Amino acid sequence: DPSVSGEQLAHIQHSLAVTLRKLGRLEEAELLARKVWETRKALFPPEHYNAIYLGVTAGNLGIILARQQRFADAETFLLEGHDLCERSLWSDSARQKWGGEIEGFLIELYDTWDVAEPGCGYAEKAAQLRLKTQQNNQFAPDSGLVPAEAVEP
């Protein structure tokens, strides 16, 4: 539909990828999340005001990969998503919320990774992030990484 912009389409596709992830349809979710990742990389360079959307997309892709036990790839995307959210030009509360969401998923990743590969330092990474999250009074992962601003009226 020519009346739908690339940005609007990316928002819709991101929401669908989150839904597919929550339904456990991880392969489909990954394909769509990667498409959104590429679209948003073209739309929002890291210094762009809306680069937080790129961070949220990276976070969702990281979650999908973690659920597939592709831990190293998941960590890469979650860390990049966290960095993009933290460097965002959005308000402090928005940056803290989305950065905190991703921190929660990083903790989940490190806990799961530690069970799969004990003694490799993942429990320590999770403990460090838990301490940081508690100190910053960040949010627990529960929203599916879809900013309210991402939903078009």
Side-chain angles (χ1 to χ4, degrees):
D1 182 352
S3 66
V4 177
S5 73
E7 185 175 342
Q8 290 170 323
L9 184 59
H11 288 324
I12 293 165
Q13 290 174 327
H14 175 78
S15 295
L16 180 56
V18 170
T19 300
L20 289 168
R21 184 195 84 221
K22 289 181 174 186
L23 291 172
R25 295 167 58 180
L26 299 175
E27 292 79 18
E28 293 170 274
E30 180 186 353
L31 288 173
L32 193 53
R34 286 189 185 279
K35 184 175 183 178
V36 174
W37 171 251
E38 292 303 323
T39 299
R40 285 185 167 168
K41 276 195 328 187
L43 289 170
F44 309 127
E47 65 280 354
H48 191 281
Y49 180 78
N50 283 333
I52 197 167
Y53 290 125
L54 185 58
V56 169
T57 300
N60 185 48
L61 188 50
I63 296 163
I64 292 165
L65 294 168
R67 302 270 161 83
Q68 294 173 324
Q69 298 188 355
R70 293 163 57 191
F71 302 129
D73 291 337
E75 181 184 41
T76 298
F77 276 101
L78 287 168
L79 289 172
E80 182 158 0
H82 182 266
D83 183 57
L84 285 162
C85 288
E86 291 289 307
R87 290 186 297 132
S88 164
L89 299 175
W90 282 28
S91 68
D92 287 345
S93 63
R95 286 194 317 269
Q96 289 173 352
K97 175 163 178 48
W98 298 113
E101 288 277 337
I102 294 173
E103 283 178 3
F105 286 113
L106 274 164
I107 291 168
E108 180 184 312
L109 167 70
Y110 291 137
D111 286 341
T112 305
W113 204 350
D114 184 61
V115 171
E117 298 177 27
C120 293
Y122 304 117
E124 292 79 8
K125 285 184 176 187
Q128 289 171 350
L129 273 174
R130 274 192 187 87
L131 180 60
K132 179 184 176 199
T133 300
Q134 290 168 355
Q135 289 172 343
N136 292 337
N137 194 25
Q138 302 268 332
F139 300 88
D142 63 2
S143 72
L145 292 173
V146 180
E149 297 84 357
V151 180
E152 296 292 327

